[in-house]
Structure formats: structure tokens, C-alpha cells
Amino acid sequence: MSSPHLPLSRRGFLLAGAGAGAALGLTALPAYASGLPAYATNRPFGRYGSPEHRRTPQTLYVDPDGRGDFTTVQAAVTAATGSGWTLVLAPGVYRETVAADTTRTEATWIGASENPRDVVIVHDNAAGTPKPGGGTYGTTGSATVTVQSDGFTARWITFANDWLRADHPDISGTQAVALKVQGDRSAFHHCRFLGHQDTLYADSVSLGVFARQYFAHCYVEGDVDFVFGRARAVYEQCHFRTLNRTDLAAAPYGFVFAPSTAGANPYGYLVSRSRISSEAPDAYYKLARPWVPSSDTTARPSLVVRDSWLGSGIDAVAPYTDMSAGFPWQNQRFAEYRDLGPGAEITVAGNRPQLTDEQAESATRETYLGDWTPWKEC
């Protein structure tokens, strides 16, 4: 098994050869291992036009080598005021933090090569990283990319946070978010989310807003609570991968899901037709634990995992655990349905609540997302 703190897991994938990346179940970035491929040199924006042949007046082109309108994603976001802008990102590693506020609605970001390994937005802040001027970033402030606007869509992009515990033994706030998304109708198709703790923060802008989010054909990896937040989110045909660790002597190494669903929200996270694999030893990961934040002690975290394959890295005997003794997982809304794989084996029935066939009829993307149908855009 690979160490979670070897640079290849998080930072070295930007420079590693394809063979080394494949050992982690990933393909490394060939464009930066042996020079840019011809399509990136001659047509950095692929089939999506160029500044000289703009697809629409509201299409902006981003290229770190200067062949677009901007060299950074944040510069393009800043320029794209109002609603309905499309950003086309040329292959490259964009080392920066990016924030899109609530006013930039109905935005679309496209990885021009249509391969998420080629377009990477990455930074390395953690919750405990000191901020210029004093204080630390905190979990929310650690995010590489923050999107608050409604109607956001991303395709073929990698969102990464390559902060490593091993590089910062003096920092105890090890949460390091790759993406925090808060808007309603936020869709991610064929994207990757890379980090360790708190990789993908699927949330909402406020407690009373039930933001709907959709992730299709995406890849997410991490260790502690690496998919978390209070959004009403559907993960369909996604791959979740738990990382190995060398800094802990015993299980559990971490937790895949940590929803913080508001008590008034009837639906939290729905994972459907997906799979969970692991670099870690068998049974060293929990499937989920409930997050009841101090800002909302009435939260009732909700998670349904159905029709999915759970690998041997998941503790089949006790797949759930508490984050706080005051809010036991048994009092939350956790359930499974027709899952397969060694991590889905039911050995202690009381530890694996299952939906009935009747209950499963409403555990669907249509129920969770209502009149919004982002899967038709896949």
C-alpha cells in the first residue's frame, strides 16, 4: 500500500509519470511529464473556440501560457460580472485560490481538453495555516475554490488541495478543502476532487437554504470526513477513494462522509451507483459519521448509499461511528440499499440500517433534486 504522505498522492501527481500515477488508480498529467501534447500547443481551447473565434460574447478563455483572455482563473471570474458567463480553461496547473460570489450566477467552467487530469486548480492552505496579518484560515478559508453562486456547472476540471500533514507537523488544524460549493443547482460532471481531510465541502450559503447539488462521474479522494456539509447532494456513478496513512497506528484512519443536514431538510446526501475503493488496509475506514456543528445543534445528518459497491477498506461490521457522543449516529438519518462488495456485507444487522423497498422508491435523484434535471446535461 502507498503512504498517504508520499507526494505522489497529492502534490507529485502534477509532475509524476503516467505509470506512477496509475499505481494510485489515477493517470498523472502527461502534459507536464513530457511536454504539452499537440492539441494543447496548437488548439489550447479544443473545440471551444478561442479569443479570436469566441463561441459567445460571454465566453472567456483562460490559459497560463498567455494564449487566452486571462492567465488565472480568478482574473476571469473577477471579469465575469453578472450572470451567464462561460470560462474555458486550457490545460495547465492553476496554482491559486478562486472565489465566485453569489452574484455570478449561471456560470459554467469547462476544461478544454475534456480530460480533468489536464486542468488542475490547486493550492495548499489548511485550516491552521497562518494568514497574513494574523489568525488562521479556518476550514472555510482553506478552500482552493469557493463557489457561492446558483446555477454553477463545471466539467472536466480537477479541484485540489495539496497541503500535507507531514510537511507541517506544527499545525493542528489539518482540514484542507479543495472545493467549497454552496449554491443551489450546482453540477459537476467528470470532475476530480483531491485532498486529504475535508476535500469536498458540499454546503449551502445559509442554514435555511437547501442547496441542491449534483456530482456525476466524479472522483473524490481523501481520509477524514472528505465529503461533508449540509447540501442536498446527489453523487451518481462516482468513485470515492480512501487514502492510506502512516501517521496513525490503528483504525479508523478516517471517514468518507460527514453530512450536516439541517433538521428541516428532508434530504441530505444520496450516493447512487457509485463505488468506494481504498489504499488502506481492510476495514480501516468508516463509511460515515454525523456532523452536528456547534452552529446548528438541531442538525440531523442524512445519508443514503444505494446500489453501490463498497470495497474492503470499509469496516463492514461497524461502518458508522459518532463524531460527538451527544449526537449518536443511530439518531441520525443513515441508511443503505442493495449495496454490494466486501464493505457492504451485513454482519451485525443493527449497525447497518437498510431502506425498505417502499422507502427506496423515494431515495432517487428526482426526489432529491425536484424540477432540476442536471443529468440530462451529461
Side-chain angles (χ1 to χ4, degrees):
M1 299 295 179
S2 301
S3 165
H5 304 310
L6 287 175
L8 190 57
S9 291
R10 190 74 307 104
R11 183 171 296 140
F13 79 97
L14 298 174
L15 300 173
L24 292 180
L26 303 176
T27 301
L29 293 172
Y32 307 100
S34 57
L36 286 168
Y39 77 82
T41 302
N42 302 325
R43 296 180 58 199
F45 303 107
R47 63 187 178 96
Y48 295 97
S50 67
E52 295 76 26
H53 303 283
R54 208 172 295 274
R55 292 188 84 196
T56 71
Q58 284 192 289
T59 300
L60 296 176
Y61 297 88
V62 188
D63 175 31
D65 293 328
R67 294 164 295 180
D69 300 303
F70 302 95
T71 58
T72 69
V73 180
Q74 184 59 64
V77 170
T78 300
T81 57
S83 184
W85 288 87
T86 295
L87 272 57
V88 181
L89 279 58
V93 176
Y94 298 85
R95 180 162 286 279
E96 57 178 304
T97 58
V98 184
D101 65 26
T102 58
T103 67
R104 288 165 165 78
T105 57
E106 311 305 325
T108 299
W109 296 3
I110 299 172
S113 70
E114 302 186 9
N115 183 340
R117 296 172 178 86
D118 293 337
V119 177
V120 180
I121 308 174
V122 59
H123 208 267
D124 60 351
N125 286 329
T129 300
K131 292 173 63 175
T136 58
Y137 282 99
T139 299
T140 290
S142 75
T144 297
V145 176
T146 302
V147 178
Q148 296 182 308
S149 52
D150 292 344
F152 178 81
T153 299
R155 300 176 183 276
W156 304 297
I157 295 172
T158 292
F159 302 86
N161 190 317
D162 62 359
W163 187 91
L164 296 173
R165 298 183 187 97
D167 292 346
H168 304 278
D170 56 320
I171 292 179
S172 58
T174 57
Q175 301 89 343
V177 177
L179 172 75
K180 180 171 185 176
V181 55
Q182 297 178 280
D184 184 41
R185 294 178 294 105
S186 299
F188 298 82
H189 304 278
H190 304 280
C191 289
R192 297 195 306 164
F193 306 91
L194 308 180
H196 282 271
Q197 182 171 352
D198 291 8
T199 304
L200 174 56
Y201 196 169
D203 204 49
S204 67
V205 292
S206 65
L207 180 60
V209 174
F210 303 156
R212 295 166 296 174
Q213 297 168 7
Y214 180 71
F215 301 82
H217 308 283
C218 290
Y219 174 90
V220 193
E221 71 177 26
D223 49 39
V224 177
D225 304 331
F226 65 94
V227 183
F228 73 114
R230 66 176 171 232
R232 181 183 296 185
V234 173
Y235 305 88
E236 191 165 59
Q237 297 187 65
C238 291
H239 179 189
F240 305 91
R241 187 161 177 83
T242 60
L243 299 176
N244 197 16
R245 299 182 66 171
T246 57
D247 59 320
L248 296 179
Y253 278 0
F255 321 88
V256 181
F257 302 101
S260 57
T261 321
N265 191 346
Y267 308 111
Y269 287 178
L270 172 64
V271 179
S272 176
R273 295 184 291 156
S274 296
R275 65 187 177 110
I276 300 175
S277 66
S278 183
E279 296 176 10
D282 290 355
Y284 267 52
Y285 273 86
K286 302 293 186 181
L287 182 60
R289 62 177 181 172
W291 177 30
V292 179
S294 58
S295 59
D296 179 24
T297 56
T298 64
R300 284 199 65 215
S302 172
L303 168 70
V304 172
V305 180
R306 63 169 301 169
D307 301 299
S308 295
W309 187 88
L310 311 185
S312 59
I314 298 299
D315 180 357
V317 176
Y320 306 105
T321 190
D322 302 336
M323 186 177 294
S324 169
F327 302 99
W329 73 263
Q330 293 90 342
N331 293 350
Q332 313 311 321
R333 295 175 286 179
F334 287 175
E336 301 169 58
Y337 184 70
R338 294 193 313 200
D339 293 324
L340 299 172
E345 183 180 353
I346 301 174
T347 58
V348 180
N351 289 345
R352 308 218 63 153
Q354 303 288 310
L355 297 179
T356 65
D357 290 344
E358 182 179 3
Q359 291 170 329
E361 291 179 0
S362 61
T364 64
R365 62 189 184 185
E366 290 82 2
T367 300
Y368 277 58
L369 303 180
D371 59 357
W372 180 47
T373 56
W375 55 88
K376 294 182 179 180
E377 302 170 6
C378 290

